[in-house]
Every structure is written in C-alpha cells, then in structure tokens.
C-alpha cells in the first residue's frame, strides 16, 4: 500500500484497515474500517461520504453506512458494480485501503428533532439512510415516531437483514414496512414496488420523509408522497451515487444548476428542479 496520510493535502488518502467484512447479499458487502492504530479514520455526520481507494485499481466514493454515534470505526456497504468494487469485494480482514473524507453535506439531524420521520429506501439506497436511522435510534428521545419503508427486487436483495428484521422493529415507536418487487414462495410479506407501497400505506403528512434509491424510484416515490399530501419541502433525498471526485473539481455531478459534491449529496426536494435519469 503506497498511499500515506498527508494532513495538509485533502486529496491524498490516508491508510485505513478493514477490520471486519460482512456479506449482506450476493452483491453487497459491508466493510468495517478503522485507522491503523484503531479508531475512526475521521469524524462525520449522517449522509456524508468517503472516498475509498484501492491502488492500483482506482478509487470511488461511497456513502458511510454507520452512525457517527458508533465509537471507533466507520462502515461502508458496497455494491459490486465495477472494477473498484470488484477489488474491494475480494478484501479480507486486515487488508489496507486508502480513504479520505468526509465529503458533502449531511441530513439536517438537528432540524429534524421532535419530528416524526419517514425513511423510504430501495435496494442499496438503504445504505446511506442506515446512518441517519441509527443516529435517530441512538438519540431516540430527540425524535418522534419512525416509519421505515424498504424494498428490493427479491428477499435475498434486502441489505442489512439484522437491522430490518430484528433490531429496528424492536425499537420504541418504530415500524418497518418491507416489500419485494415480485412474488416468491418464501416471501410472506408485501409484494410491489416501493412507490406504490408508499401510496398504499398513506402515511399522515405530519412527517418528514427521507428517501434514497435508484433515480426512477425516487421520482415515483416523490410523486406518491405528493399525492398523499406531502410537500416537497417535507422530503429529503441523497444523490451520493452521482458524486465523482467528491471535491468540486471535475464538474461531472451537476443536476441542473446544482453540483452534488458542492451542494449535496443531501437535498431537500424543493431545492432541486430535476433528478437524473440514471447514475
């Protein structure tokens, strides 16, 4: 591992160590990452991102999946979808990587205090929301009722199964609503796409919604929320998968007049006039 930590150069990664590897699905793995002497590589807030490098393959930006309330480490849940992620998925405990961050803004956790929260995620979109969900759980008295709507193509594609099936449903004032796209024999829960499920659930509009998933899912979920009666200023989304350099230099993450790495990745939906068709 040739990279070293340069405190005065934010573009240079520091060395970090993969302390634990957890396989969530056939194409999603969660990595627990620490500094070489133990502890977090850096402090962050829910919704911020980290640039992970795998010399000589390259680097890519990922949402931080763990809550900042967790001591001593950060986690990133990474979907296998290219050269860098293919390499990362081969790493074992004790492997070294490069990391820099945090990048981007965060979910407005202070402004959300005292409010009922509605989290809506599709597929790997649960990864960035998991950070703010667990932040709210760790500070449970500061927030109102919590509803979590999460869907994936199949039951096997649902990430963080322990959280969604065991941990979160046991929390006071918290309900988890799960769905899969297609009916299968082993699945006894709801079947259908996330946006339509949101419409069926017809939540009260005295909530703030936080949404993440594929762009098409975000678009139709926003439509469903508006049909229920939510206004765009009640809905936040995160577009971290649109980020490239993470530093506002390459100009490849623009959406209309916004740049995701400079203005986001977290946006209130009345702040963006359009969403990308694809990442």
């Amino acid at each position: 591992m040739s990279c070293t930590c340069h405190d005065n150069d934010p573009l240079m990664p520091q060395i970090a160590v993969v302390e634990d590897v957890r396989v969530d699905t056939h194409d999603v793995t969660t990595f627990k990452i620490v500094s070489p002497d133990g502890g977090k590589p850096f402090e962050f807030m829910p919704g911020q991102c980290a640039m992970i490098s795998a010399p000589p393959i390259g680097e890519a930006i990922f949402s931080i999946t763990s809550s900042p309330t967790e001591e001593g480490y950060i986690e990133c849940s990474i979907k296998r979808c290219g050269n860098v992620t293919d390499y990362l998925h081969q790493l074992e405990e004790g492997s070294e990587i490069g990391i820099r961050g945090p990048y981007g803004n965060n979910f407005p956790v202070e402004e959300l205090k005292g409010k009922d929260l509605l989290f809506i995620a599709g597929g790997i979109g649960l990864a960035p929301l998991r950070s703010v969900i667990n932040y709210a759980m760790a500070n449970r008295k500061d927030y109102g009722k919590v509803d979590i709507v999460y869907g994936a193509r199949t039951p096997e594609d649902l990430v963080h199964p322990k959280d969604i099936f065991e941990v979160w449903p046991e929390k006071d004032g918290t309900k988890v609503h799960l769905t899969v796209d297609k009916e299968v024999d082993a699945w006894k829960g709801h079947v259908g796409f996330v946006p339509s499920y949101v419409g069926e659930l017809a939540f009260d509009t005295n909530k703030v919604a936080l949404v993440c998933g594929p762009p098409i899912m975000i678009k139709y979920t926003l439509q469903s929320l508006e049909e229920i009666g939510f206004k765009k200023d009640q809905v936040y989304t995160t577009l971290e998968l649109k980020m490239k350099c993470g530093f506002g230099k390459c100009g490849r993450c623009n959406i209309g007049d916004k740049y995701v790495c400079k203005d986001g990745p977290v946006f209130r939906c009345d702040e963006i006039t359009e969403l990308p068709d694809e990442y």
Side-chain angles (χ1 to χ4, degrees):
M1 189 76 182
S2 60
C3 66
T4 57
C5 179
H6 292 256
D7 293 336
N8 295 323
D9 189 347
L11 291 177
M12 287 296 294
Q14 59 179 296
I15 292 175
V17 177
V18 176
E19 186 178 70
D20 183 66
V21 178
R22 184 181 72 246
V23 177
D24 288 327
T25 73
H26 70 284
D27 62 354
V28 176
T29 297
T30 297
F31 300 89
K32 181 184 286 188
I33 301 168
V34 299
S35 59
D37 57 353
K40 293 180 185 178
F42 49 76
E43 296 294 332
F44 66 96
M45 289 297 289
Q48 291 189 296
C49 303
M51 184 72 77
I52 295 179
S53 54
I57 306 301
E59 64 178 3
I61 199 158
F62 301 99
S63 59
I64 300 171
T65 312
S66 55
S67 168
T69 56
E70 298 289 348
E71 297 292 337
Y73 65 89
I74 67 172
E75 285 184 334
C76 292
S77 297
I78 296 175
K79 184 180 177 71
R80 194 168 194 161
C81 59
N83 291 336
V84 172
T85 57
D86 284 348
Y87 176 88
L88 294 175
H89 271 238
Q90 300 174 40
L91 296 181
E92 301 176 348
E93 294 178 17
S95 299
E96 290 186 348
I97 57 172
I99 192 168
R100 53 185 171 95
Y103 291 110
N105 64 355
N106 57 274
F107 287 103
V109 290
E110 290 295 318
E111 295 176 28
L112 297 178
K113 286 184 176 180
K115 301 181 183 297
D116 291 345
L117 303 179
L118 170 58
F119 297 97
I120 307 172
I124 192 61
L126 185 65
L129 291 188
R130 180 175 181 256
S131 179
V132 66
I133 291 171
N134 281 338
Y135 184 91
M137 297 301 172
N139 299 278
R140 196 67 192 85
K141 65 179 179 7
D142 292 335
Y143 301 93
K145 296 178 181 178
V146 173
D147 284 276
I148 301 166
V149 181
Y150 175 46
R153 283 179 291 184
T154 71
E156 291 75 23
D157 291 308
L158 294 166
V159 300
H160 301 294
K162 185 173 182 179
D163 287 334
I164 62 176
F165 289 112
E166 301 176 27
V167 178
W168 295 339
E170 296 300 317
K171 298 291 186 180
D172 290 340
T174 302
K175 294 182 179 179
V176 178
H177 314 267
L178 301 176
T179 187
V180 298
D181 293 352
K182 297 180 180 180
E183 187 172 354
V184 294
D185 291 339
W187 180 252
K188 305 304 180 184
H190 186 272
V191 177
F193 296 113
V194 169
S196 61
Y197 192 28
V198 170
E200 291 176 34
L201 290 167
F203 293 102
D204 292 336
T205 57
N206 60 345
K207 302 177 184 294
V208 176
L210 294 80
V211 183
C212 188
I216 193 69
M217 170 251 162
I218 295 175
K219 286 184 178 181
Y220 284 113
T221 297
L222 183 57
Q223 289 181 15
S224 291
L225 289 171
E226 289 179 324
E227 289 171 3
I228 294 170
F230 281 80
K231 298 179 181 178
K232 286 186 177 181
D233 62 5
Q234 290 177 263
V235 185
Y236 291 84
T237 190
T238 175
L239 302 173
E240 83 289 341
L241 291 180
K242 185 71 173 173
M243 294 173 75
K244 302 300 180 183
C245 71
F247 210 68
K249 296 298 183 182
C250 73
R252 294 165 60 200
C253 67
N254 69 296
I255 303 173
D257 61 349
K258 303 291 185 181
Y259 285 85
V260 175
C261 62
K262 295 174 66 176
D263 303 307
V266 176
F267 294 94
R268 202 176 62 202
C269 284
D270 63 327
E271 298 173 333
I272 46 178
T273 57
E274 58 184 287
L275 291 170
D277 291 328
E278 59 184 35
Y279 290 140

PDB file of all heavy atoms in Angstrom, residues 41-76:
ATOM      1  N   PRO A  41     -11.233   6.646  11.104  1.00  0.00           N
ATOM      2  CA  PRO A  41     -10.316   7.411  10.256  1.00  0.00           C
ATOM      3  C   PRO A  41     -10.613   8.907  10.296  1.00  0.00           C
ATOM      4  O   PRO A  41      -9.708   9.731  10.167  1.00  0.00           O
ATOM      5  CB  PRO A  41     -10.578   6.844   8.857  1.00  0.00           C
ATOM      6  CG  PRO A  41     -11.110   5.469   9.096  1.00  0.00           C
ATOM      7  CD  PRO A  41     -11.925   5.587  10.353  1.00  0.00           C
ATOM      8  N   PHE A  42     -11.889   9.284  10.487  1.00  0.00           N
ATOM      9  CA  PHE A  42     -12.284  10.687  10.613  1.00  0.00           C
ATOM     10  C   PHE A  42     -13.698  10.734  11.175  1.00  0.00           C
ATOM     11  O   PHE A  42     -14.433   9.756  11.149  1.00  0.00           O
ATOM     12  CB  PHE A  42     -12.209  11.428   9.279  1.00  0.00           C
ATOM     13  CG  PHE A  42     -12.890  10.700   8.139  1.00  0.00           C
ATOM     14  CD1 PHE A  42     -14.270  10.685   8.015  1.00  0.00           C
ATOM     15  CD2 PHE A  42     -12.134  10.030   7.185  1.00  0.00           C
ATOM     16  CE1 PHE A  42     -14.899  10.013   6.978  1.00  0.00           C
ATOM     17  CE2 PHE A  42     -12.749   9.352   6.144  1.00  0.00           C
ATOM     18  CZ  PHE A  42     -14.131   9.347   6.039  1.00  0.00           C
ATOM     19  N   GLU A  43     -14.096  11.896  11.685  1.00  0.00           N
ATOM     20  CA  GLU A  43     -15.452  12.098  12.169  1.00  0.00           C
ATOM     21  C   GLU A  43     -16.350  12.518  10.996  1.00  0.00           C
ATOM     22  O   GLU A  43     -15.877  13.095  10.004  1.00  0.00           O
ATOM     23  CB  GLU A  43     -15.489  13.162  13.263  1.00  0.00           C
ATOM     24  CG  GLU A  43     -14.721  12.774  14.521  1.00  0.00           C
ATOM     25  CD  GLU A  43     -15.341  11.591  15.243  1.00  0.00           C
ATOM     26  OE1 GLU A  43     -16.577  11.391  15.126  1.00  0.00           O
ATOM     27  OE2 GLU A  43     -14.590  10.859  15.915  1.00  0.00           O
ATOM     28  N   PHE A  44     -17.634  12.281  11.114  1.00  0.00           N
ATOM     29  CA  PHE A  44     -18.563  12.583  10.038  1.00  0.00           C
ATOM     30  C   PHE A  44     -19.963  12.741  10.620  1.00  0.00           C
ATOM     31  O   PHE A  44     -20.183  12.506  11.818  1.00  0.00           O
ATOM     32  CB  PHE A  44     -18.552  11.458   8.991  1.00  0.00           C
ATOM     33  CG  PHE A  44     -19.090  10.157   9.527  1.00  0.00           C
ATOM     34  CD1 PHE A  44     -20.413   9.794   9.320  1.00  0.00           C
ATOM     35  CD2 PHE A  44     -18.282   9.294  10.259  1.00  0.00           C
ATOM     36  CE1 PHE A  44     -20.919   8.610   9.841  1.00  0.00           C
ATOM     37  CE2 PHE A  44     -18.776   8.107  10.774  1.00  0.00           C
ATOM     38  CZ  PHE A  44     -20.099   7.768  10.564  1.00  0.00           C
ATOM     39  N   MET A  45     -20.903  13.121   9.757  1.00  0.00           N
ATOM     40  CA  MET A  45     -22.307  13.210  10.136  1.00  0.00           C
ATOM     41  C   MET A  45     -23.133  12.366   9.164  1.00  0.00           C
ATOM     42  O   MET A  45     -22.685  12.086   8.048  1.00  0.00           O
ATOM     43  CB  MET A  45     -22.779  14.663  10.122  1.00  0.00           C
ATOM     44  CG  MET A  45     -22.206  15.503  11.262  1.00  0.00           C
ATOM     45  SD  MET A  45     -22.724  14.905  12.897  1.00  0.00           S
ATOM     46  CE  MET A  45     -24.469  15.376  12.892  1.00  0.00           C
ATOM     47  N   PRO A  46     -24.354  11.960   9.553  1.00  0.00           N
ATOM     48  CA  PRO A  46     -25.155  11.087   8.681  1.00  0.00           C
ATOM     49  C   PRO A  46     -25.428  11.717   7.322  1.00  0.00           C
ATOM     50  O   PRO A  46     -25.886  12.850   7.230  1.00  0.00           O
ATOM     51  CB  PRO A  46     -26.457  10.906   9.465  1.00  0.00           C
ATOM     52  CG  PRO A  46     -26.096  11.162  10.887  1.00  0.00           C
ATOM     53  CD  PRO A  46     -25.054  12.220  10.841  1.00  0.00           C
ATOM     54  N   GLY A  47     -25.139  10.966   6.280  1.00  0.00           N
ATOM     55  CA  GLY A  47     -25.339  11.433   4.919  1.00  0.00           C
ATOM     56  C   GLY A  47     -24.053  11.788   4.201  1.00  0.00           C
ATOM     57  O   GLY A  47     -24.054  11.921   2.969  1.00  0.00           O
ATOM     58  N   GLN A  48     -22.967  11.949   4.945  1.00  0.00           N
ATOM     59  CA  GLN A  48     -21.695  12.272   4.309  1.00  0.00           C
ATOM     60  C   GLN A  48     -21.050  11.021   3.711  1.00  0.00           C
ATOM     61  O   GLN A  48     -21.438   9.888   4.016  1.00  0.00           O
ATOM     62  CB  GLN A  48     -20.763  12.944   5.307  1.00  0.00           C
ATOM     63  CG  GLN A  48     -21.214  14.344   5.700  1.00  0.00           C
ATOM     64  CD  GLN A  48     -20.173  15.074   6.524  1.00  0.00           C
ATOM     65  OE1 GLN A  48     -19.854  14.672   7.630  1.00  0.00           O
ATOM     66  NE2 GLN A  48     -19.640  16.163   5.976  1.00  0.00           N
ATOM     67  N   CYS A  49     -20.045  11.249   2.876  1.00  0.00           N
ATOM     68  CA  CYS A  49     -19.446  10.174   2.087  1.00  0.00           C
ATOM     69  C   CYS A  49     -17.940  10.083   2.301  1.00  0.00           C
ATOM     70  O   CYS A  49     -17.312  11.021   2.811  1.00  0.00           O
ATOM     71  CB  CYS A  49     -19.716  10.408   0.597  1.00  0.00           C
ATOM     72  SG  CYS A  49     -21.459  10.547   0.182  1.00  0.00           S
ATOM     73  N   ALA A  50     -17.393   8.943   1.888  1.00  0.00           N
ATOM     74  CA  ALA A  50     -15.955   8.717   1.952  1.00  0.00           C
ATOM     75  C   ALA A  50     -15.454   8.271   0.587  1.00  0.00           C
ATOM     76  O   ALA A  50     -16.132   7.515  -0.122  1.00  0.00           O
ATOM     77  CB  ALA A  50     -15.631   7.648   2.997  1.00  0.00           C
ATOM     78  N   MET A  51     -14.277   8.730   0.213  1.00  0.00           N
ATOM     79  CA  MET A  51     -13.616   8.267  -0.997  1.00  0.00           C
ATOM     80  C   MET A  51     -12.675   7.131  -0.601  1.00  0.00           C
ATOM     81  O   MET A  51     -11.772   7.316   0.222  1.00  0.00           O
ATOM     82  CB  MET A  51     -12.826   9.393  -1.663  1.00  0.00           C
ATOM     83  CG  MET A  51     -12.191   8.998  -2.974  1.00  0.00           C
ATOM     84  SD  MET A  51     -13.375   8.802  -4.317  1.00  0.00           S
ATOM     85  CE  MET A  51     -13.702  10.523  -4.741  1.00  0.00           C
ATOM     86  N   ILE A  52     -12.906   5.965  -1.171  1.00  0.00           N
ATOM     87  CA  ILE A  52     -12.078   4.799  -0.855  1.00  0.00           C
ATOM     88  C   ILE A  52     -11.235   4.469  -2.075  1.00  0.00           C
ATOM     89  O   ILE A  52     -11.742   4.382  -3.201  1.00  0.00           O
ATOM     90  CB  ILE A  52     -12.953   3.592  -0.460  1.00  0.00           C
ATOM     91  CG1 ILE A  52     -13.686   3.907   0.843  1.00  0.00           C
ATOM     92  CG2 ILE A  52     -12.109   2.333  -0.312  1.00  0.00           C
ATOM     93  CD1 ILE A  52     -14.604   2.796   1.317  1.00  0.00           C
ATOM     94  N   SER A  53      -9.941   4.281  -1.860  1.00  0.00           N
ATOM     95  CA  SER A  53      -9.023   3.986  -2.951  1.00  0.00           C
ATOM     96  C   SER A  53      -8.430   2.596  -2.788  1.00  0.00           C
ATOM     97  O   SER A  53      -8.185   2.129  -1.675  1.00  0.00           O
ATOM     98  CB  SER A  53      -7.911   5.036  -3.026  1.00  0.00           C
ATOM     99  OG  SER A  53      -7.246   5.167  -1.785  1.00  0.00           O
ATOM    100  N   ALA A  54      -8.234   1.960  -3.922  1.00  0.00           N
ATOM    101  CA  ALA A  54      -7.687   0.610  -3.969  1.00  0.00           C
ATOM    102  C   ALA A  54      -6.574   0.584  -5.007  1.00  0.00           C
ATOM    103  O   ALA A  54      -6.779   0.124  -6.135  1.00  0.00           O
ATOM    104  CB  ALA A  54      -8.778  -0.387  -4.325  1.00  0.00           C
ATOM    105  N   PRO A  55      -5.383   1.111  -4.660  1.00  0.00           N
ATOM    106  CA  PRO A  55      -4.285   1.129  -5.616  1.00  0.00           C
ATOM    107  C   PRO A  55      -3.908  -0.295  -6.033  1.00  0.00           C
ATOM    108  O   PRO A  55      -3.888  -1.188  -5.178  1.00  0.00           O
ATOM    109  CB  PRO A  55      -3.145   1.783  -4.830  1.00  0.00           C
ATOM    110  CG  PRO A  55      -3.817   2.507  -3.712  1.00  0.00           C
ATOM    111  CD  PRO A  55      -5.026   1.708  -3.383  1.00  0.00           C
ATOM    112  N   PRO A  56      -3.626  -0.531  -7.309  1.00  0.00           N
ATOM    113  CA  PRO A  56      -3.586   0.443  -8.416  1.00  0.00           C
ATOM    114  C   PRO A  56      -4.874   0.486  -9.229  1.00  0.00           C
ATOM    115  O   PRO A  56      -4.882   1.007 -10.329  1.00  0.00           O
ATOM    116  CB  PRO A  56      -2.445  -0.102  -9.261  1.00  0.00           C
ATOM    117  CG  PRO A  56      -2.623  -1.602  -9.147  1.00  0.00           C
ATOM    118  CD  PRO A  56      -3.097  -1.848  -7.728  1.00  0.00           C
ATOM    119  N   ILE A  57      -5.976  -0.040  -8.670  1.00  0.00           N
ATOM    120  CA  ILE A  57      -7.212  -0.152  -9.448  1.00  0.00           C
ATOM    121  C   ILE A  57      -7.877   1.200  -9.648  1.00  0.00           C
ATOM    122  O   ILE A  57      -8.297   1.554 -10.748  1.00  0.00           O
ATOM    123  CB  ILE A  57      -8.199  -1.119  -8.760  1.00  0.00           C
ATOM    124  CG1 ILE A  57      -7.532  -2.469  -8.483  1.00  0.00           C
ATOM    125  CG2 ILE A  57      -9.448  -1.303  -9.615  1.00  0.00           C
ATOM    126  CD1 ILE A  57      -7.025  -3.171  -9.706  1.00  0.00           C
ATOM    127  N   GLY A  58      -7.977   1.987  -8.570  1.00  0.00           N
ATOM    128  CA  GLY A  58      -8.640   3.275  -8.665  1.00  0.00           C
ATOM    129  C   GLY A  58      -9.315   3.640  -7.356  1.00  0.00           C
ATOM    130  O   GLY A  58      -9.001   3.082  -6.303  1.00  0.00           O
ATOM    131  N   GLU A  59     -10.253   4.559  -7.415  1.00  0.00           N
ATOM    132  CA  GLU A  59     -10.974   4.984  -6.232  1.00  0.00           C
ATOM    133  C   GLU A  59     -12.412   5.304  -6.597  1.00  0.00           C
ATOM    134  O   GLU A  59     -12.739   5.551  -7.757  1.00  0.00           O
ATOM    135  CB  GLU A  59     -10.307   6.185  -5.561  1.00  0.00           C
ATOM    136  CG  GLU A  59     -10.284   7.445  -6.398  1.00  0.00           C
ATOM    137  CD  GLU A  59      -9.654   8.616  -5.675  1.00  0.00           C
ATOM    138  OE1 GLU A  59      -9.178   8.450  -4.541  1.00  0.00           O
ATOM    139  OE2 GLU A  59      -9.659   9.720  -6.256  1.00  0.00           O
ATOM    140  N   ALA A  60     -13.268   5.279  -5.593  1.00  0.00           N
ATOM    141  CA  ALA A  60     -14.681   5.595  -5.802  1.00  0.00           C
ATOM    142  C   ALA A  60     -15.252   6.114  -4.499  1.00  0.00           C
ATOM    143  O   ALA A  60     -14.713   5.853  -3.416  1.00  0.00           O
ATOM    144  CB  ALA A  60     -15.454   4.362  -6.275  1.00  0.00           C
ATOM    145  N   ILE A  61     -16.345   6.864  -4.618  1.00  0.00           N
ATOM    146  CA  ILE A  61     -16.953   7.462  -3.441  1.00  0.00           C
ATOM    147  C   ILE A  61     -18.145   6.621  -2.997  1.00  0.00           C
ATOM    148  O   ILE A  61     -18.889   6.091  -3.819  1.00  0.00           O
ATOM    149  CB  ILE A  61     -17.371   8.919  -3.725  1.00  0.00           C
ATOM    150  CG1 ILE A  61     -17.554   9.691  -2.414  1.00  0.00           C
ATOM    151  CG2 ILE A  61     -18.587   9.009  -4.620  1.00  0.00           C
ATOM    152  CD1 ILE A  61     -17.441  11.182  -2.554  1.00  0.00           C
ATOM    153  N   PHE A  62     -18.285   6.462  -1.675  1.00  0.00           N
ATOM    154  CA  PHE A  62     -19.343   5.642  -1.105  1.00  0.00           C
ATOM    155  C   PHE A  62     -19.961   6.361   0.086  1.00  0.00           C
ATOM    156  O   PHE A  62     -19.278   7.091   0.813  1.00  0.00           O
ATOM    157  CB  PHE A  62     -18.794   4.289  -0.633  1.00  0.00           C
ATOM    158  CG  PHE A  62     -18.150   3.486  -1.719  1.00  0.00           C
ATOM    159  CD1 PHE A  62     -16.768   3.477  -1.863  1.00  0.00           C
ATOM    160  CD2 PHE A  62     -18.915   2.743  -2.607  1.00  0.00           C
ATOM    161  CE1 PHE A  62     -16.159   2.739  -2.875  1.00  0.00           C
ATOM    162  CE2 PHE A  62     -18.316   2.005  -3.620  1.00  0.00           C
ATOM    163  CZ  PHE A  62     -16.939   2.007  -3.754  1.00  0.00           C
ATOM    164  N   SER A  63     -21.244   6.120   0.284  1.00  0.00           N
ATOM    165  CA  SER A  63     -21.880   6.649   1.484  1.00  0.00           C
ATOM    166  C   SER A  63     -21.353   5.912   2.702  1.00  0.00           C
ATOM    167  O   SER A  63     -20.946   4.748   2.624  1.00  0.00           O
ATOM    168  CB  SER A  63     -23.401   6.481   1.397  1.00  0.00           C
ATOM    169  OG  SER A  63     -23.751   5.120   1.244  1.00  0.00           O
ATOM    170  N   ILE A  64     -21.346   6.607   3.829  1.00  0.00           N
ATOM    171  CA  ILE A  64     -20.950   5.984   5.092  1.00  0.00           C
ATOM    172  C   ILE A  64     -22.212   5.416   5.721  1.00  0.00           C
ATOM    173  O   ILE A  64     -23.185   6.133   5.954  1.00  0.00           O
ATOM    174  CB  ILE A  64     -20.271   7.004   6.017  1.00  0.00           C
ATOM    175  CG1 ILE A  64     -19.020   7.569   5.325  1.00  0.00           C
ATOM    176  CG2 ILE A  64     -19.901   6.355   7.342  1.00  0.00           C
ATOM    177  CD1 ILE A  64     -18.382   8.736   6.061  1.00  0.00           C
ATOM    178  N   THR A  65     -22.189   4.118   5.977  1.00  0.00           N
ATOM    179  CA  THR A  65     -23.398   3.408   6.392  1.00  0.00           C
ATOM    180  C   THR A  65     -23.613   3.431   7.889  1.00  0.00           C
ATOM    181  O   THR A  65     -24.743   3.334   8.361  1.00  0.00           O
ATOM    182  CB  THR A  65     -23.307   1.940   5.921  1.00  0.00           C
ATOM    183  OG1 THR A  65     -22.923   1.924   4.541  1.00  0.00           O
ATOM    184  CG2 THR A  65     -24.628   1.231   6.065  1.00  0.00           C
ATOM    185  N   SER A  66     -22.546   3.526   8.646  1.00  0.00           N
ATOM    186  CA  SER A  66     -22.667   3.508  10.104  1.00  0.00           C
ATOM    187  C   SER A  66     -23.073   4.882  10.625  1.00  0.00           C
ATOM    188  O   SER A  66     -22.935   5.896   9.941  1.00  0.00           O
ATOM    189  CB  SER A  66     -21.346   3.076  10.745  1.00  0.00           C
ATOM    190  OG  SER A  66     -20.282   3.905  10.294  1.00  0.00           O
ATOM    191  N   SER A  67     -23.566   4.898  11.853  1.00  0.00           N
ATOM    192  CA  SER A  67     -23.913   6.155  12.501  1.00  0.00           C
ATOM    193  C   SER A  67     -22.672   6.770  13.137  1.00  0.00           C
ATOM    194  O   SER A  67     -21.804   6.039  13.641  1.00  0.00           O
ATOM    195  CB  SER A  67     -24.966   5.900  13.584  1.00  0.00           C
ATOM    196  OG  SER A  67     -25.118   7.039  14.417  1.00  0.00           O
ATOM    197  N   PRO A  68     -22.555   8.094  13.163  1.00  0.00           N
ATOM    198  CA  PRO A  68     -21.429   8.719  13.859  1.00  0.00           C
ATOM    199  C   PRO A  68     -21.444   8.457  15.360  1.00  0.00           C
ATOM    200  O   PRO A  68     -20.445   8.697  16.035  1.00  0.00           O
ATOM    201  CB  PRO A  68     -21.601  10.211  13.554  1.00  0.00           C
ATOM    202  CG  PRO A  68     -23.018  10.362  13.144  1.00  0.00           C
ATOM    203  CD  PRO A  68     -23.406   9.082  12.493  1.00  0.00           C
ATOM    204  N   THR A  69     -22.557   7.951  15.883  1.00  0.00           N
ATOM    205  CA  THR A  69     -22.612   7.614  17.301  1.00  0.00           C
ATOM    206  C   THR A  69     -21.861   6.331  17.618  1.00  0.00           C
ATOM    207  O   THR A  69     -21.604   6.037  18.782  1.00  0.00           O
ATOM    208  CB  THR A  69     -24.072   7.466  17.761  1.00  0.00           C
ATOM    209  OG1 THR A  69     -24.736   6.483  16.942  1.00  0.00           O
ATOM    210  CG2 THR A  69     -24.809   8.788  17.633  1.00  0.00           C
ATOM    211  N   GLU A  70     -21.521   5.541  16.593  1.00  0.00           N
ATOM    212  CA  GLU A  70     -20.714   4.336  16.807  1.00  0.00           C
ATOM    213  C   GLU A  70     -19.271   4.740  17.081  1.00  0.00           C
ATOM    214  O   GLU A  70     -18.695   5.554  16.363  1.00  0.00           O
ATOM    215  CB  GLU A  70     -20.772   3.418  15.579  1.00  0.00           C
ATOM    216  CG  GLU A  70     -22.154   2.904  15.241  1.00  0.00           C
ATOM    217  CD  GLU A  70     -22.661   1.884  16.243  1.00  0.00           C
ATOM    218  OE1 GLU A  70     -21.856   1.414  17.071  1.00  0.00           O
ATOM    219  OE2 GLU A  70     -23.860   1.559  16.197  1.00  0.00           O
ATOM    220  N   GLU A  71     -18.710   4.162  18.115  1.00  0.00           N
ATOM    221  CA  GLU A  71     -17.349   4.524  18.508  1.00  0.00           C
ATOM    222  C   GLU A  71     -16.319   3.644  17.798  1.00  0.00           C
ATOM    223  O   GLU A  71     -16.497   2.432  17.672  1.00  0.00           O
ATOM    224  CB  GLU A  71     -17.175   4.357  20.024  1.00  0.00           C
ATOM    225  CG  GLU A  71     -18.055   5.267  20.864  1.00  0.00           C
ATOM    226  CD  GLU A  71     -17.662   6.728  20.754  1.00  0.00           C
ATOM    227  OE1 GLU A  71     -16.496   7.001  20.397  1.00  0.00           O
ATOM    228  OE2 GLU A  71     -18.510   7.590  21.029  1.00  0.00           O
ATOM    229  N   GLY A  72     -15.260   4.262  17.323  1.00  0.00           N
ATOM    230  CA  GLY A  72     -14.081   3.504  16.938  1.00  0.00           C
ATOM    231  C   GLY A  72     -14.002   2.999  15.525  1.00  0.00           C
ATOM    232  O   GLY A  72     -12.996   2.390  15.149  1.00  0.00           O
ATOM    233  N   TYR A  73     -15.020   3.239  14.673  1.00  0.00           N
ATOM    234  CA  TYR A  73     -14.949   2.724  13.309  1.00  0.00           C
ATOM    235  C   TYR A  73     -15.991   3.422  12.445  1.00  0.00           C
ATOM    236  O   TYR A  73     -16.895   4.089  12.938  1.00  0.00           O
ATOM    237  CB  TYR A  73     -15.195   1.214  13.281  1.00  0.00           C
ATOM    238  CG  TYR A  73     -16.595   0.807  13.700  1.00  0.00           C
ATOM    239  CD1 TYR A  73     -17.625   0.724  12.766  1.00  0.00           C
ATOM    240  CD2 TYR A  73     -16.899   0.525  15.032  1.00  0.00           C
ATOM    241  CE1 TYR A  73     -18.911   0.362  13.151  1.00  0.00           C
ATOM    242  CE2 TYR A  73     -18.172   0.166  15.419  1.00  0.00           C
ATOM    243  CZ  TYR A  73     -19.184   0.082  14.467  1.00  0.00           C
ATOM    244  OH  TYR A  73     -20.456  -0.270  14.855  1.00  0.00           O
ATOM    245  N   ILE A  74     -15.845   3.251  11.134  1.00  0.00           N
ATOM    246  CA  ILE A  74     -16.905   3.599  10.205  1.00  0.00           C
ATOM    247  C   ILE A  74     -17.204   2.359   9.367  1.00  0.00           C
ATOM    248  O   ILE A  74     -16.372   1.454   9.244  1.00  0.00           O
ATOM    249  CB  ILE A  74     -16.547   4.793   9.294  1.00  0.00           C
ATOM    250  CG1 ILE A  74     -15.422   4.437   8.326  1.00  0.00           C
ATOM    251  CG2 ILE A  74     -16.176   6.010  10.112  1.00  0.00           C
ATOM    252  CD1 ILE A  74     -15.176   5.516   7.281  1.00  0.00           C
ATOM    253  N   GLU A  75     -18.408   2.310   8.804  1.00  0.00           N
ATOM    254  CA  GLU A  75     -18.789   1.222   7.922  1.00  0.00           C
ATOM    255  C   GLU A  75     -19.233   1.767   6.577  1.00  0.00           C
ATOM    256  O   GLU A  75     -19.842   2.835   6.503  1.00  0.00           O
ATOM    257  CB  GLU A  75     -19.931   0.393   8.519  1.00  0.00           C
ATOM    258  CG  GLU A  75     -19.508  -0.533   9.637  1.00  0.00           C
ATOM    259  CD  GLU A  75     -20.661  -1.395  10.123  1.00  0.00           C
ATOM    260  OE1 GLU A  75     -21.837  -0.989   9.982  1.00  0.00           O
ATOM    261  OE2 GLU A  75     -20.371  -2.485  10.663  1.00  0.00           O
ATOM    262  N   CYS A  76     -18.932   1.013   5.518  1.00  0.00           N
ATOM    263  CA  CYS A  76     -19.426   1.309   4.186  1.00  0.00           C
ATOM    264  C   CYS A  76     -19.996   0.025   3.599  1.00  0.00           C
ATOM    265  O   CYS A  76     -19.325  -1.011   3.605  1.00  0.00           O
ATOM    266  CB  CYS A  76     -18.312   1.839   3.281  1.00  0.00           C
ATOM    267  SG  CYS A  76     -17.690   3.469   3.739  1.00  0.00           S
TER     268      CYS A  76
END
